[in-house]
Amino acid sequence: MLFDSKTIDRIRSTLYSGVLSDVLDSLGHTGQAMRPDIRPVDDSLVLFGHARTGLYMDVYEVEPDENPYEIEIALIDDLKPGDVAVFGCGTSGRIAPWGELLTTASMCRKAVGCVTDGLVRDLRRIKEMRFPVFHGGIGPLDSRGRGKMMRMDGLIDCAGVKLRTGDWVFGDIDGVVVLPEKIAAETIRLAFEKVESENNTRRELLEGRLLGEVYRKYGVL
Amino acid sequence: MLFDSKTIDRIRSTLYSGVLSDVLDSLGHTGQAMRPDIRPVDDSLVLFGHARTGLYMDVYEVEPDENPYEIEIALIDDLKPGDVAVFGCGTSGRIAPWGELLTTASMCRKAVGCVTDGLVRDLRRIKEMRFPVFHGGIGPLDSRGRGKMMRMDGLIDCAGVKLRTGDWVFGDIDGVVVLPEKIAAETIRLAFEKVESENNTRRELLEGRLLGEVYRKYGVL
Amino acid sequence: MLFDSKTIDRIRSTLYSGVLSDVLDSLGHTGQAMRPDIRPVDDSLVLFGHARTGLYMDVYEVEPDENPYEIEIALIDDLKPGDVAVFGCGTSGRIAPWGELLTTASMCRKAVGCVTDGLVRDLRRIKEMRFPVFHGGIGPLDSRGRGKMMRMDGLIDCAGVKLRTGDWVFGDIDGVVVLPEKIAAETIRLAFEKVESENNTRRELLEGRLLGEVYRKYGVL
Amino acid sequence: MLFDSKTIDRIRSTLYSGVLSDVLDSLGHTGQAMRPDIRPVDDSLVLFGHARTGLYMDVYEVEPDENPYEIEIALIDDLKPGDVAVFGCGTSGRIAPWGELLTTASMCRKAVGCVTDGLVRDLRRIKEMRFPVFHGGIGPLDSRGRGKMMRMDGLIDCAGVKLRTGDWVFGDIDGVVVLPEKIAAETIRLAFEKVESENNTRRELLEGRLLGEVYRKYGVL
Amino acid sequence: MLFDSKTIDRIRSTLYSGVLSDVLDSLGHTGQAMRPDIRPVDDSLVLFGHARTGLYMDVYEVEPDENPYEIEIALIDDLKPGDVAVFGCGTSGRIAPWGELLTTASMCRKAVGCVTDGLVRDLRRIKEMRFPVFHGGIGPLDSRGRGKMMRMDGLIDCAGVKLRTGDWVFGDIDGVVVLPEKIAAETIRLAFEKVESENNTRRELLEGRLLGEVYRKYGVL
Amino acid sequence: MLFDSKTIDRIRSTLYSGVLSDVLDSLGHTGQAMRPDIRPVDDSLVLFGHARTGLYMDVYEVEPDENPYEIEIALIDDLKPGDVAVFGCGTSGRIAPWGELLTTASMCRKAVGCVTDGLVRDLRRIKEMRFPVFHGGIGPLDSRGRGKMMRMDGLIDCAGVKLRTGDWVFGDIDGVVVLPEKIAAETIRLAFEKVESENNTRRELLEGRLLGEVYRKYGVL
């Protein structure tokens, strides 16, 4: 694993999606934040973990003798501790891949969250379980006969960001950011540094200095 | 009335929109869930009742000697205990048919909720009254000179579902589902059964079994 | 200042966006409510103040030797007590002009809120500071290299309403309304009156009278 | 009639929507051009005439004993020579109010065109008849059970412009412009003048002068 | 085959999408017309044939050793005389399944057209070949690495209409209509009848009768 | 200049947007085709030339003493033979930067086309001049008081593709493709090669071979 559990705890308690997005910008990766319509079920929870991707297709029927959940079940049963299920459902607004039973099954595998641009249901129970879920909308629909996972662990698009198994995802009240595998460690290191200089900026503003002055000094806004 | 008050209480406390949507799917009615943009004012409240439909038209003026609220007032004053006002406002985003005064008037008639794909206002007061309202957006606008109810109790489209007076509506944190009059009793009966088998699935998952195993046993996800 | 601080307090505690929108309608100004997608960070806060407008442009790079925040910093550092920053960011969904540091800097200048149709970040900290911010979405993005303020204090469009420095803005749980400078005092005066007759309508409804009866008496809905 | 038939001929042969839009801008009427999705069936035809407005509502059924075309037929049979049917159908994309039979009936009344933000059908026949029709899309649907005209000659919104019977409409390959009744004559007079100065600008550009030079001289672009 | 070649010729020369849509409405099938954004490459061509459906998924990579066109090629090479390829590509706007080479290959199999809600390219060559293609947009993109056909001959959604192999499709300048297999023969029979009564209506209008009069007589509009 | 005039002629007569898009895909540049809503005024014309970029901002007024066309005029008057004006207007749909006078002025500078995601007007005259213009819509509006060019020759987004002065643009009936400066020569070279192998595929298909067979042989579709 790229990060040990102590570092992961520190990431969740110290970093936030804004500082990660800024660092990724500075490294030339300006398209790593998911669209603003991806929102958390519980905005007090912070998600950070290793992505396990699933790609969905819109379907309009269940074929005879077909298990419509086959690949989805395989992915959930293969989740490792620290994994985050990331499901790309496209733009139809018809696919609702996540609910209470997948939450329960994922928690039993020690997975640490779910991100999808599809719909989610069973919000009351998911809130009670305090499992971080970020979603593209809420609805009571089953995915059966509407959407089907066709590939696992490959390249997907989730809410405007391309990612695959191996990348890392961070989510909090401000949204979801994807850290590509190759620059994840570097991004985390720089983010811890940047938090420091933002603290300085804030402190001087609170002492009453003008924004222009403070910006000239720290170059952070 | 199709359901007695004891059954209605049990529906509100035991069922949820997801299980109703699944049962309607299994009966071949796959288009009974409203679009995900319909959200509750208070997501801890559950709505279930008998629909009373109103159809709105976009207008751009109030004509001389016109009472722009005529049919709307007639519908509200005719609400019976257990009724739910369901107002179809179309896709313009200009019509805001519901607010505090209609809430107050409806509660005095013992109506049990409102569903609209239009806008709603006076959210603070509506929350205080704990009246279940599901809406398509929030805004301070009056409907006067913007939208007018033209027909009551006829066929409408509300957030993508067609319904008329006589159908039943259920709403909770996950969204709103419409039960067509002819299959409402059957849907409720099957939903009580399905809740049972979901409880079994959940219990076995919590005991640590793999999702694949449990799905093969109960066929529910 | 058009309103003294005692009047401003009474406006914030007594009026609401719905009654202001109705009064503006009655004066023939039917386009003063921002689109429903503008939502408050904290819906228990009420915003009322004097608008200071900024107009943003979508950009795709930071040019060499350019301070991308130049005009933005000038506006923030020039905010006066009672001012509200109102930032028009257009329809691209790429511009995120507001966050914690601007909130901190604005509060130090005794500004009383922010309204933008762009995105906002650092929601947790903004909530803690109890500064009223109304926004067009939430995201972790910096505006650097995405959007740039090009003009301050001129005519802008914010969420469908045109306004400029000198106009007044009111925001609460139901949305944001703009009071044009020339009719702001008249609007406030009429709104205080209208609150009175709405109270009468509500009281009679609670006493059980039919809506038709009460509407015939007060002409308010 | 505001314009005699010789003037109307000259308007159709000399003016164009761009110059009318510019003149309306200069008179402070900046919202008189319909949205760009309104396109002509035949872009070689020019439409100019006196508006007769109809307002449509989305419906979902035909009620027993209802003539769904009642007001529509009344309006068509009441068209006068030089009239243009202008039908506001809103934003649903479900209403298709115009086709070959209405074209035939309107031509028999000597009406000179149709503008709608709804759909149109029977394009092949309409093209053959060389009747100017501007529309919001093409589709084979009947309006029966989908849309119904509810009011004639009142205020409507058609593709973003508000107008009523008495206003004037001009349409050509570049789009549709509405001339409010009160300023129609003034607009036409100024447009004839402006055509002249655009001719000068064009001539000097063709002689090879730089745009900056020519703009400084005539102030037209 | 449900229709012999002489009937098929008569259908193409006599019927049009509007009359088929009206007949389907009268049989209670009100959702058989594709969305208005589906347009013909050449609006002088009429398409009628037996649907062969393909369902596409958005993809973001070509996997090693994968033939991304496998099922697509199988379908094209299996086309029978009179078949129409109907490809459902969903709502992403990224999938461009049709171009010159598929047109050439399909014509060699004696297929008679293509309908897709995806994009099409090579318009100049397709026009020259006079093969009827109806599409959801034009673009130069390859489908490789963007979209992949996952199923052939199953149930798809194409531009808002659900259909499968066995259904029939008709397209002309006014749009595309789907005739479900079970009612295709009945629909065609009734359409030939309805064309007759529309001819009567048109003739009487041309003789100068009012629309109200003619509608009362024939009940057709 | 990267290409001599003979090569440019050969590019215009031999290549097409589809083959350029395929070659760019094969070089790993998969985002170089503009959105399908960008369409040519005259789809028989082919555009190829060197981009000169302009970036527009939405504005809502003309300030006193402001020349709203200043930078736009500077860019047009600085066009060199072979240049193509490429104007990024964003997503508002309010900005109409191109018309007859700019066409005339550009042709006098020997520029060879215009591409914009904004609106265009004066289509009749532009068609007569046979100047290749690709646009995001048609409308009669002036840009004065609606949009203003703020920067020339910098990085812009036009219909989803980022480009700057120095890049190359190709447009035909199938759409517009951008060739980044650094790979423009390589792209053109490979495109001439690929045209060859597509000719082979087509020839064998016309000889009656199955698509599967031909694809296995040439690997092109």
Side-chain angles (χ1 to χ4, degrees):
Chain A
M1 192 62 102
L2 193 58
F3 304 104
D4 60 29
S5 76
K6 206 174 123 194
T7 306
I8 287 179
D9 284 351
R10 199 171 142 236
I11 289 169
R12 287 205 193 103
S13 61
T14 312
L15 298 184
Y16 39 98
S17 57
V19 76
L20 289 166
S21 175
D22 288 358
V23 168
L24 287 160
D25 275 0
S26 73
L27 296 172
H29 291 256
T30 58
Q32 298 304 113
M34 293 192 184
R35 283 192 312 262
D37 54 300
I38 305 304
R39 298 300 305 146
V41 166
D42 178 342
D43 68 18
S44 72
L45 300 179
V46 174
L47 172 153
F48 180 68
H50 169 261
R52 294 295 302 277
T53 57
L55 180 59
Y56 279 78
M57 173 171 70
D58 276 272
V59 296
Y60 303 94
E61 61 181 341
V62 178
E63 299 188 335
D65 302 318
E66 180 194 6
N67 172 0
Y69 305 118
E70 186 180 0
I71 303 176
E72 188 175 294
I73 287 174
L75 189 153
I76 296 291
D77 282 341
D78 188 53
L79 288 173
K80 304 290 182 296
D83 277 357
V84 174
V86 185
F87 291 175
C89 297
T91 55
S92 72
R94 295 173 62 246
I95 306 182
W98 200 264
E100 178 220 347
L101 295 180
L102 292 196
T103 301
T104 302
S106 299
M107 290 184 84
C108 291
R109 301 279 83 72
K110 301 200 191 318
V112 296
C114 166
V115 177
T116 180
D117 51 10
L119 306 181
V120 64
R121 67 178 186 178
D122 307 325
L123 261 79
R124 195 165 51 83
R125 283 230 165 79
I126 293 175
K127 280 184 182 181
E128 287 166 10
M129 291 190 271
R130 297 187 58 76
F131 187 73
V133 175
F134 291 72
H135 61 84
I138 299 165
L141 297 171
D142 193 0
S143 60
R144 184 188 169 82
R146 294 189 178 89
K148 185 178 177 183
M149 194 189 289
M150 303 301 285
R151 293 181 182 177
M152 59 185 272
D153 294 323
L155 189 66
I156 68 169
D157 179 287
C158 186
V161 182
K162 294 206 172 33
L163 75 161
R164 67 167 73 246
T165 290
D167 296 328
W168 292 76
V169 285
F170 184 100
D172 64 12
I173 189 173
D174 289 340
V176 178
V177 175
V178 176
L179 287 64
E181 185 171 16
K182 290 195 177 166
I183 57 166
E186 170 80 348
T187 302
I188 293 296
R189 190 180 60 74
L190 292 169
F192 280 125
E193 283 177 26
K194 186 165 198 288
V195 164
E196 210 46 48
S197 85
E198 292 199 354
N199 288 343
N200 292 333
T201 300
R202 185 185 308 116
R203 199 189 54 243
E204 302 220 2
L205 287 174
L206 287 169
E207 290 165 9
R209 285 196 186 75
L210 287 178
L211 189 57
E213 230 179 306
V214 179
Y215 177 71
R216 272 191 302 276
K217 187 158 167 193
Y218 296 103
V220 168
L221 198 67
Chain B
M1 192 63 103
L2 193 58
F3 304 104
D4 58 30
S5 75
K6 207 175 122 193
T7 306
I8 287 178
D9 285 352
R10 199 172 140 236
I11 290 169
R12 287 205 192 104
S13 61
T14 312
L15 299 184
Y16 39 97
S17 57
V19 77
L20 289 166
S21 175
D22 288 358
V23 168
L24 287 161
D25 275 0
S26 73
L27 296 171
H29 291 256
T30 58
Q32 298 304 113
M34 293 191 185
R35 283 192 311 262
D37 53 301
I38 304 304
R39 298 300 305 148
V41 167
D42 177 342
D43 68 16
S44 72
L45 300 179
V46 175
L47 172 153
F48 179 68
H50 169 261
R52 294 297 300 279
T53 56
L55 180 59
Y56 279 78
M57 173 171 70
D58 276 272
V59 295
Y60 303 94
E61 60 181 342
V62 178
E63 298 187 337
D65 302 318
E66 181 194 4
N67 171 0
Y69 305 118
E70 186 180 359
I71 304 175
E72 187 175 294
I73 287 174
L75 189 154
I76 296 291
D77 283 341
D78 189 52
L79 287 173
K80 304 290 182 295
D83 279 356
V84 174
V86 185
F87 291 175
C89 297
T91 54
S92 72
R94 295 173 62 246
I95 306 182
W98 200 264
E100 178 220 346
L101 295 180
L102 292 196
T103 300
T104 303
S106 300
M107 289 183 84
C108 291
R109 301 279 82 75
K110 301 199 191 318
V112 297
C114 167
V115 177
T116 180
D117 52 9
L119 306 181
V120 64
R121 66 177 186 179
D122 306 325
L123 260 80
R124 194 163 51 84
R125 283 230 165 80
I126 293 175
K127 279 184 182 180
E128 287 166 10
M129 291 189 271
R130 297 187 58 76
F131 187 74
V133 175
F134 291 72
H135 61 84
I138 299 166
L141 297 171
D142 193 0
S143 60
R144 183 187 172 81
R146 295 189 178 89
K148 185 178 176 182
M149 194 189 288
M150 302 302 285
R151 293 181 183 177
M152 58 186 273
D153 296 324
L155 189 66
I156 68 168
D157 178 288
C158 185
V161 182
K162 292 204 173 36
L163 75 160
R164 66 168 72 249
T165 290
D167 295 330
W168 291 76
V169 285
F170 184 100
D172 63 12
I173 190 174
D174 289 341
V176 178
V177 175
V178 175
L179 287 64
E181 185 170 17
K182 290 196 179 168
I183 57 166
E186 171 80 350
T187 301
I188 293 296
R189 192 182 58 76
L190 292 169
F192 281 124
E193 284 177 26
K194 186 163 198 287
V195 165
E196 210 47 46
S197 84
E198 291 198 355
N199 288 343
N200 292 333
T201 300
R202 185 185 309 117
R203 200 189 52 245
E204 302 220 1
L205 287 174
L206 287 169
E207 289 166 8
R209 285 196 186 74
L210 288 178
L211 189 58
E213 228 179 306
V214 180
Y215 177 70
R216 274 192 301 277
K217 188 160 168 193
Y218 295 103
V220 168
L221 198 66
Chain C
M1 192 63 104
L2 195 58
F3 303 104
D4 59 29
S5 75
K6 206 175 123 193
T7 306
I8 286 179
D9 285 350
R10 197 169 143 237
I11 289 169
R12 288 206 192 103
S13 61
T14 313
L15 298 185
Y16 38 98
S17 57
V19 75
L20 289 166
S21 175
D22 288 358
V23 168
L24 287 161
D25 275 0
S26 73
L27 297 172
H29 291 255
T30 58
Q32 298 305 111
M34 292 191 185
R35 283 193 312 263
D37 54 300
I38 304 303
R39 298 300 305 148
V41 167
D42 178 341
D43 68 17
S44 72
L45 300 178
V46 175
L47 172 154
F48 179 69
H50 169 261
R52 293 296 301 279
T53 57
L55 180 58
Y56 279 79
M57 173 171 70
D58 277 271
V59 295
Y60 303 94
E61 60 181 341
V62 178
E63 299 187 337
D65 301 318
E66 180 194 5
N67 171 0
Y69 305 119
E70 185 180 1
I71 304 176
E72 188 176 294
I73 287 173
L75 190 153
I76 296 290
D77 282 341
D78 188 53
L79 287 173
K80 304 289 181 298
D83 278 356
V84 174
V86 186
F87 290 175
C89 297
T91 55
S92 71
R94 296 173 61 248
I95 306 182
W98 200 264
E100 178 220 348
L101 296 180
L102 292 196
T103 301
T104 302
S106 299
M107 290 183 83
C108 292
R109 302 279 83 72
K110 300 200 191 319
V112 297
C114 167
V115 177
T116 180
D117 52 9
L119 306 181
V120 63
R121 66 177 186 178
D122 307 324
L123 260 80
R124 195 164 51 84
R125 284 230 166 81
I126 293 175
K127 280 184 182 181
E128 287 165 10
M129 292 189 269
R130 297 186 59 75
F131 187 73
V133 175
F134 291 73
H135 61 83
I138 299 165
L141 298 170
D142 192 0
S143 61
R144 183 187 170 82
R146 295 189 177 88
K148 185 178 177 184
M149 193 188 290
M150 303 302 286
R151 292 181 183 177
M152 59 186 271
D153 295 324
L155 189 67
I156 68 168
D157 179 288
C158 185
V161 182
K162 294 207 171 37
L163 75 159
R164 66 167 73 246
T165 291
D167 295 329
W168 292 75
V169 285
F170 184 101
D172 63 12
I173 189 174
D174 289 341
V176 178
V177 175
V178 176
L179 287 64
E181 185 170 17
K182 290 196 178 167
I183 57 165
E186 171 81 349
T187 301
I188 294 296
R189 191 181 59 74
L190 292 169
F192 281 123
E193 283 178 27
K194 187 164 196 289
V195 164
E196 209 48 46
S197 85
E198 292 198 354
N199 288 342
N200 292 334
T201 299
R202 186 184 308 117
R203 200 188 54 244
E204 301 220 3
L205 288 174
L206 287 169
E207 290 165 8
R209 285 196 186 76
L210 288 178
L211 189 59
E213 229 179 306
V214 180
Y215 178 70
R216 273 191 303 277
K217 190 161 166 191
Y218 296 103
V220 170
L221 198 66
Chain D
M1 192 63 103
L2 194 57
F3 304 104
D4 58 30
S5 75
K6 207 176 122 193
T7 306
I8 287 178
D9 285 351
R10 200 173 141 236
I11 289 169
R12 287 205 193 103
S13 61
T14 313
L15 299 185
Y16 39 97
S17 58
V19 76
L20 288 166
S21 175
D22 288 358
V23 168
L24 287 161
D25 275 1
S26 73
L27 296 172
H29 291 255
T30 58
Q32 298 305 113
M34 292 191 186
R35 283 193 310 262
D37 54 301
I38 304 303
R39 297 300 305 147
V41 166
D42 178 341
D43 68 17
S44 72
L45 300 178
V46 175
L47 172 153
F48 180 69
H50 169 262
R52 293 297 301 279
T53 56
L55 180 58
Y56 279 78
M57 173 172 71
D58 277 272
V59 296
Y60 303 94
E61 62 181 341
V62 179
E63 299 186 336
D65 301 319
E66 180 194 4
N67 172 0
Y69 305 118
E70 187 180 359
I71 304 175
E72 187 175 295
I73 288 174
L75 189 153
I76 297 290
D77 282 342
D78 188 52
L79 288 172
K80 304 291 181 295
D83 278 357
V84 174
V86 186
F87 291 175
C89 297
T91 54
S92 71
R94 295 172 61 246
I95 306 183
W98 201 265
E100 178 220 348
L101 295 181
L102 292 196
T103 301
T104 303
S106 300
M107 289 184 85
C108 291
R109 299 281 81 74
K110 301 199 191 318
V112 297
C114 166
V115 177
T116 180
D117 51 10
L119 306 181
V120 64
R121 66 179 187 179
D122 307 324
L123 259 80
R124 195 165 51 84
R125 283 231 166 78
I126 293 175
K127 280 184 182 181
E128 286 165 11
M129 291 189 270
R130 296 186 59 75
F131 187 74
V133 175
F134 290 73
H135 60 84
I138 299 165
L141 298 171
D142 193 0
S143 61
R144 182 187 172 81
R146 295 190 178 88
K148 185 179 177 183
M149 194 189 288
M150 302 302 285
R151 292 181 183 176
M152 59 186 272
D153 295 324
L155 189 67
I156 68 168
D157 178 288
C158 186
V161 182
K162 294 206 172 36
L163 75 160
R164 66 167 73 246
T165 290
D167 295 329
W168 292 76
V169 285
F170 184 100
D172 63 13
I173 190 175
D174 289 340
V176 178
V177 175
V178 176
L179 287 65
E181 186 171 17
K182 290 196 178 167
I183 58 166
E186 171 81 350
T187 301
I188 293 297
R189 191 180 59 75
L190 293 170
F192 280 124
E193 285 177 26
K194 186 164 197 289
V195 164
E196 210 48 46
S197 84
E198 293 199 353
N199 287 342
N200 292 333
T201 300
R202 185 185 310 117
R203 200 190 51 244
E204 301 221 2
L205 287 174
L206 287 170
E207 289 165 9
R209 286 198 185 72
L210 288 178
L211 189 57
E213 230 179 306
V214 180
Y215 177 70
R216 273 191 302 277
K217 187 159 167 193
Y218 295 103
V220 169
L221 198 66
Chain E
M1 190 64 103
L2 193 59
F3 304 104
D4 59 30
S5 75
K6 207 175 122 194
T7 307
I8 287 178
D9 284 351
R10 198 170 143 239
I11 289 169
R12 286 205 193 105
S13 61
T14 313
L15 298 184
Y16 39 97
S17 57
V19 76
L20 290 166
S21 175
D22 287 358
V23 168
L24 287 161
D25 274 0
S26 73
L27 297 171
H29 291 255
T30 57
Q32 298 305 113
M34 292 190 185
R35 283 193 311 263
D37 54 302
I38 304 304
R39 298 300 305 147
V41 166
D42 177 342
D43 68 17
S44 72
L45 300 179
V46 175
L47 172 153
F48 179 69
H50 169 261
R52 294 297 300 278
T53 56
L55 180 58
Y56 279 79
M57 173 171 69
D58 276 271
V59 295
Y60 302 94
E61 61 180 341
V62 179
E63 299 187 337
D65 302 318
E66 180 193 4
N67 172 0
Y69 304 118
E70 186 180 359
I71 304 177
E72 189 175 294
I73 287 174
L75 190 154
I76 296 290
D77 282 341
D78 189 52
L79 287 173
K80 303 290 182 297
D83 278 356
V84 174
V86 186
F87 291 175
C89 297
T91 55
S92 72
R94 295 173 63 246
I95 306 182
W98 200 264
E100 178 220 346
L101 294 181
L102 292 196
T103 301
T104 302
S106 300
M107 289 183 84
C108 291
R109 301 280 83 73
K110 300 201 191 318
V112 297
C114 166
V115 177
T116 180
D117 52 8
L119 306 181
V120 64
R121 66 178 186 177
D122 306 324
L123 259 80
R124 195 165 51 84
R125 282 230 166 80
I126 293 176
K127 280 183 182 182
E128 287 166 10
M129 292 189 271
R130 296 187 60 75
F131 187 73
V133 175
F134 290 72
H135 60 84
I138 299 165
L141 298 171
D142 193 0
S143 61
R144 182 186 172 82
R146 295 189 177 88
K148 184 177 177 183
M149 194 189 289
M150 302 302 285
R151 293 182 182 176
M152 60 185 273
D153 295 323
L155 188 67
I156 68 168
D157 179 287
C158 186
V161 183
K162 293 206 172 35
L163 75 161
R164 67 168 72 249
T165 291
D167 295 328
W168 292 75
V169 284
F170 184 100
D172 63 12
I173 190 174
D174 289 340
V176 179
V177 175
V178 175
L179 286 64
E181 185 170 16
K182 290 197 178 166
I183 58 166
E186 171 80 349
T187 302
I188 294 295
R189 191 181 60 74
L190 292 170
F192 280 125
E193 284 177 26
K194 187 164 197 286
V195 164
E196 211 46 49
S197 85
E198 291 198 356
N199 288 343
N200 292 333
T201 301
R202 186 184 309 118
R203 200 189 53 244
E204 301 221 3
L205 287 174
L206 287 168
E207 289 165 9
R209 285 196 187 75
L210 288 178
L211 188 59
E213 230 178 307
V214 180
Y215 177 70
R216 273 190 303 277
K217 190 161 166 192
Y218 296 103
V220 170
L221 198 66
Chain F
M1 190 63 104
L2 193 59
F3 303 104
D4 59 30
S5 76
K6 206 176 124 193
T7 306
I8 287 178
D9 285 351
R10 198 170 142 237
I11 289 168
R12 286 204 193 104
S13 61
T14 313
L15 298 185
Y16 38 98
S17 57
V19 76
L20 289 166
S21 175
D22 288 358
V23 168
L24 287 161
D25 275 0
S26 73
L27 296 172
H29 290 256
T30 57
Q32 298 305 112
M34 293 192 184
R35 284 193 311 263
D37 54 302
I38 303 303
R39 298 301 304 147
V41 166
D42 177 341
D43 68 18
S44 73
L45 300 179
V46 175
L47 172 153
F48 180 69
H50 169 261
R52 295 295 302 276
T53 56
L55 179 59
Y56 279 78
M57 173 171 70
D58 277 271
V59 296
Y60 303 94
E61 61 181 341
V62 178
E63 299 187 337
D65 301 319
E66 179 193 5
N67 172 0
Y69 305 118
E70 187 181 357
I71 304 177
E72 187 176 296
I73 287 174
L75 189 154
I76 296 291
D77 282 341
D78 188 52
L79 287 173
K80 304 289 182 296
D83 278 357
V84 175
V86 186
F87 291 176
C89 297
T91 55
S92 72
R94 296 172 62 246
I95 306 182
W98 200 263
E100 178 221 347
L101 295 180
L102 292 196
T103 300
T104 302
S106 300
M107 290 183 82
C108 292
R109 301 279 83 73
K110 302 203 191 316
V112 297
C114 166
V115 177
T116 180
D117 51 9
L119 306 180
V120 64
R121 66 179 186 178
D122 306 324
L123 261 80
R124 195 165 52 83
R125 283 230 165 81
I126 293 176
K127 280 184 182 182
E128 287 166 10
M129 292 188 271
R130 298 186 59 75
F131 187 73
V133 175
F134 291 72
H135 60 83
I138 299 165
L141 297 171
D142 192 0
S143 60
R144 183 188 170 81
R146 296 189 177 89
K148 185 177 177 183
M149 193 189 290
M150 302 302 286
R151 294 182 183 176
M152 59 185 271
D153 295 324
L155 189 66
I156 68 169
D157 178 288
C158 186
V161 182
K162 292 207 173 34
L163 75 160
R164 66 167 73 247
T165 289
D167 296 329
W168 292 76
V169 285
F170 184 100
D172 63 12
I173 189 174
D174 289 340
V176 179
V177 175
V178 176
L179 286 64
E181 186 170 15
K182 291 197 178 168
I183 57 166
E186 170 82 348
T187 301
I188 293 297
R189 191 182 60 76
L190 293 170
F192 280 124
E193 283 177 27
K194 185 164 199 287
V195 164
E196 211 46 47
S197 84
E198 292 198 355
N199 288 342
N200 292 334
T201 300
R202 185 185 309 117
R203 201 191 51 244
E204 301 221 4
L205 287 174
L206 286 170
E207 289 166 9
R209 285 196 186 74
L210 287 178
L211 189 58
E213 229 179 306
V214 180
Y215 178 69
R216 273 191 301 277
K217 188 159 167 194
Y218 295 103
V220 169
L221 197 67

